Amino acid sequence: MSALLAFSPILLTIVLMAGFNWPAKKALPLALLTAILVAFLEWDMTVQHVLGYTVFGFLKALDILIIIFGAILILNTLKLSGAMATINNGFNGITTDRRIQAIIIGFMFGGFIEGAAGFGTPAALAGPLLVGLGFPPLAAALVALIFNSVPVPFGAVGTPIFGAMSTLESNLEATGTEADTFMMELTQWIAIPNAIVGIFIPLLGIIILTRLFGKEKSVKPALAALPFAIFAGLSFMIPYALIAVIFGPELPSLVGAFIGLGIVVFAAKRGFLVPKKAWDFPEESKWPKIWKSNSDTGNVGQAKMSLLKAWSPYLLIAIILVITRIPTFGLKGILAAQQVTLDTVAGIEGLDYVLKWAYLPGTIPFILVALLTQWYHKMPLKDIKMSWKLTVKQIKGAAIALFAGVGMVQLMLNSGNNANGMDSMLTEMAEAAAGLSGAAYPFFATIIGMLGSFMSGSATVSNILFMSFQFETATILELPQILILSMQGIGAGIGNMICVNNVVAVAATVGCLGAEGKIIRTNALPAFIYYLLITALVGGMIYAGFNPFPLS
């Protein structure tokens, strides 16, 4: 009974978001209220402890919100300065082959935008750009969402990983594990399996494209582009994995995609591995109604500056992230030392909050580069004001959801401090899950991550909700925690292909409103294939007895 009550806030979240299509900003506050009631009525926690751990969760959410704010601000700045239109128009003229266009824009450019901004922006940007090049809106939406999966675990400069770490502190303290060391290991073991499978995602995307939208309704045109698709996968995934292992979670998607984009564009322009016969869609007059736009989506705009000037803010972001994350340069320690500390939150001894404001990528480089860009791109004051106003408006919904989500998880994590001598809510849930699944749990770990992002629209929220739960379940079952958490993190990325929020957003931006159900049903197949590949790869490691980071 106690396990069922512990699970009730999560269950309520799933029912409201997946069943009734409630947004996270409405569902998660209600789930938090449910967790508070359970803490009082079943766990017999004091007002001080309930208030303290909830407020501590609110404070931890600030770290994530600062990153999101900076990421959205730089994106709005580039849109209003005309830089984004210049970047978009720069893709014209590379190739006429739709398969290659989809890979360059959906997989490479979309991956770069995921690494820089995340939170649903890649598909919403790549989709209209593909439509502008002549893609059926439905095809653009589908392929943009399929490709917005591999880079997601490290989207918005590692925000999903930081979200996960915000809930794992007590788990790691119990094992005597240093948080930074564990974060690097988690980054590595999300990146390596995801990179191996990610090599084949460009091929999977164009298979869906040619099978559903080609004149021949066949996978053969996709297979004809197999060499280029695998080459593209390798061009992104090799730097992606190397950067993750060396630098940590902020840079794999951002810099990996940027390197891959340069390589693939260079290769496409020179016809390297590009099929000799270009592939295209049927004539527009033959498109079924569901393929077409049913609203005015506008266009990508006109170029207002050189490509170098347009790309320079992202180049500067990458450079600053590199020099502030490598200890050799000496800046990492200086920035990390700039802290705001709040000791004994709500009077609870040992519950201390530390905000490393200068080390968060939301401030340096994102907000810093946004300010420099507004000057460098000579933006009018009205556009500068608009970029900040739009960012504040966009962050409101995310703020409510994150405050409630992180507050709820911190309360559930620390609910072991109670008068009844009960284990924490998450421990009760983990023991119940372990008892029900047993040795078969690796088959469910990735699905849990997918479910989290499907219902919330965010890999970060998925990790906040389920990382600690997965850690405790793995510990009880004596499974490698790092590999189970790897499956959670990757699953949270896979779920982006089919999550309601992203599907609605991209359908609106390309103009195929009303086709959301079709998009989810179609993309369920590539999402399931992705799940099978990850489960086979990481689950195989687990059942073979491989544990790359044993914890005591």
Side-chain angles (χ1 to χ4, degrees):
M1 183 63 182
S2 58
L4 185 60
L5 284 171
F7 189 61
S8 61
I10 303 292
L11 182 62
L12 180 65
T13 305
I14 294 170
V15 170
L16 292 177
M17 294 182 69
F20 292 91
N21 204 26
W22 279 33
K25 66 181 181 181
K26 289 185 177 180
L28 284 172
L30 196 55
L32 170 60
L33 179 59
T34 304
I36 290 171
L37 290 173
V38 171
F40 278 132
L41 300 176
E42 179 70 13
W43 263 255
D44 199 17
M45 293 179 69
T46 65
V47 173
Q48 181 188 21
H49 281 98
V50 170
L51 179 65
Y53 293 126
T54 303
V55 170
F56 183 71
F58 292 166
L59 293 170
K60 296 291 286 184
L62 274 178
D63 298 36
I64 304 164
L65 279 168
I66 291 170
I67 300 172
I68 298 172
F69 182 89
I72 295 174
L73 177 64
I74 191 68
L75 188 64
N76 284 332
T77 299
L78 293 178
K79 283 181 178 179
L80 290 167
S81 75
M84 194 54 65
T86 302
I87 290 169
N88 287 349
N89 286 327
F91 289 114
N92 288 313
I94 294 173
T95 177
T96 60
D97 193 309
R98 303 304 190 185
R99 298 163 296 187
I100 311 304
Q101 289 175 343
I103 290 171
I104 290 173
I105 295 167
F107 188 64
M108 292 299 184
F109 181 61
F112 176 80
I113 294 298
E114 177 63 43
F119 301 96
T121 55
L125 277 175
L129 180 53
L130 291 170
V131 171
L133 292 175
F135 277 59
L138 182 63
L142 285 168
V143 78
L145 286 165
I146 291 169
F147 289 149
N148 188 33
S149 52
V150 178
V152 169
F154 305 116
V157 285
T159 308
I161 303 298
F162 295 123
M165 295 304 299
S166 74
T167 70
L168 288 172
E169 287 180 359
S170 59
N171 300 105
L172 297 177
E173 286 174 7
T175 63
T177 306
E178 218 282 318
D180 286 344
T181 302
F182 186 83
M183 185 174 73
M184 287 298 294
E185 287 291 330
L186 179 60
T187 299
Q188 174 179 323
W189 287 103
I190 287 176
I192 292 172
N194 205 34
I196 292 170
V197 175
I199 293 167
F200 304 98
I201 298 304
L203 177 62
L204 183 60
I206 62 173
I207 283 174
I208 297 294
L209 192 67
T210 63
R211 176 67 180 83
L212 296 182
F213 297 95
K215 301 171 188 175
E216 55 285 287
K217 304 288 184 185
S218 171
V219 303
K220 288 182 180 178
L223 296 177
L226 183 150
F228 188 89
I230 297 298
F231 171 73
L234 290 167
S235 298
F236 184 175
M237 291 298 98
I238 291 174
Y240 172 96
L242 289 174
I243 291 165
V245 171
I246 297 169
F247 297 114
E250 294 106 331
L251 296 169
S253 295
L254 176 70
V255 177
F258 184 74
I259 293 170
L261 180 62
I263 293 169
V264 170
V265 168
F266 181 83
K269 282 185 173 181
R270 281 150 186 79
F272 179 69
L273 297 179
V274 175
K276 292 181 180 179
K277 184 180 179 182
W279 180 85
D280 203 349
F281 302 102
E283 294 176 13
E284 188 171 348
S285 60
K286 297 179 181 178
W287 292 357
K289 186 178 179 180
I290 196 170
W291 290 16
K292 299 178 182 180
S293 174
N294 51 33
S295 65
D296 180 14
T297 57
N299 54 58
V300 295
Q302 298 298 314
K304 295 181 180 179
M305 61 187 74
S306 70
L307 270 173
L308 179 60
K309 189 173 183 179
W311 276 100
S312 59
Y314 282 134
L315 292 171
L316 185 58
I317 285 169
I319 291 167
I320 292 173
L321 281 171
V322 169
I323 64 175
T324 57
R325 266 50 186 176
I326 300 176
T328 309
F329 291 107
L331 289 174
K332 180 176 180 177
I334 294 171
L335 294 179
Q338 310 308 308
Q339 300 178 354
V340 175
T341 304
L342 182 61
D343 296 326
T344 58
V345 176
I348 299 175
E349 191 66 33
L351 192 64
D352 305 326
Y353 170 69
V354 178
L355 174 65
K356 297 181 180 181
W357 62 269
Y359 190 67
L360 289 173
T363 48
I364 299 174
F366 277 135
I367 293 176
L368 174 62
V369 170
L371 294 170
L372 292 172
T373 301
Q374 289 164 358
W375 164 77
Y376 179 54
H377 286 180
K378 299 179 181 178
M379 292 176 64
L381 183 59
K382 65 178 180 63
D383 287 344
I384 294 174
K385 289 181 178 178
M386 182 57 69
S387 69
W388 286 84
K389 185 178 178 180
L390 285 172
T391 303
V392 170
K393 184 179 179 181
Q394 290 170 256
I395 202 74
K396 286 180 182 177
I400 294 168
L402 284 169
F403 280 135
V406 182
M408 178 181 73
V409 171
Q410 285 296 333
L411 175 58
M412 295 173 75
L413 269 171
N414 292 285
S415 54
N417 295 296
N418 60 74
N420 287 342
M422 297 172 68
D423 289 329
S424 72
M425 296 183 202
L426 280 173
T427 300
E428 292 277 355
M429 289 165 57
E431 287 176 349
L436 289 170
S437 62
Y441 188 76
F443 288 96
F444 299 99
T446 307
I447 291 176
I448 291 169
M450 293 170 67
L451 176 64
S453 55
F454 170 77
M455 69 187 193
S456 70
S458 167
T460 301
V461 173
S462 178
N463 285 350
I464 288 169
L465 289 174
F466 293 123
M467 271 289 183
S468 184
F469 164 75
Q470 299 247 35
F471 186 102
E472 294 211 21
T473 307
T475 302
I476 292 165
L477 290 169
E478 298 183 346
L479 296 170
Q481 293 99 327
I482 201 77
L483 294 182
I484 292 295
L485 297 196
S486 165
M487 297 170 89
Q488 159 65 38
I490 297 170
I494 298 171
N496 269 252
M497 286 190 193
I498 51 175
C499 77
V500 176
N501 292 13
N502 285 1
V503 169
V504 170
V506 76
T509 57
V510 302
C512 57
L513 295 169
E516 292 88 351
K518 169 73 172 174
I519 292 170
I520 291 174
R521 289 192 300 273
T522 302
N523 278 4
L525 177 60
F528 182 65
I529 293 170
Y530 202 153
Y531 155 76
L532 289 177
L533 293 172
I534 288 297
T535 302
L537 179 60
V538 184
M541 295 180 191
I542 292 170
Y543 289 122
F546 178 62
N547 187 354
F549 192 67
L551 298 176
S552 57

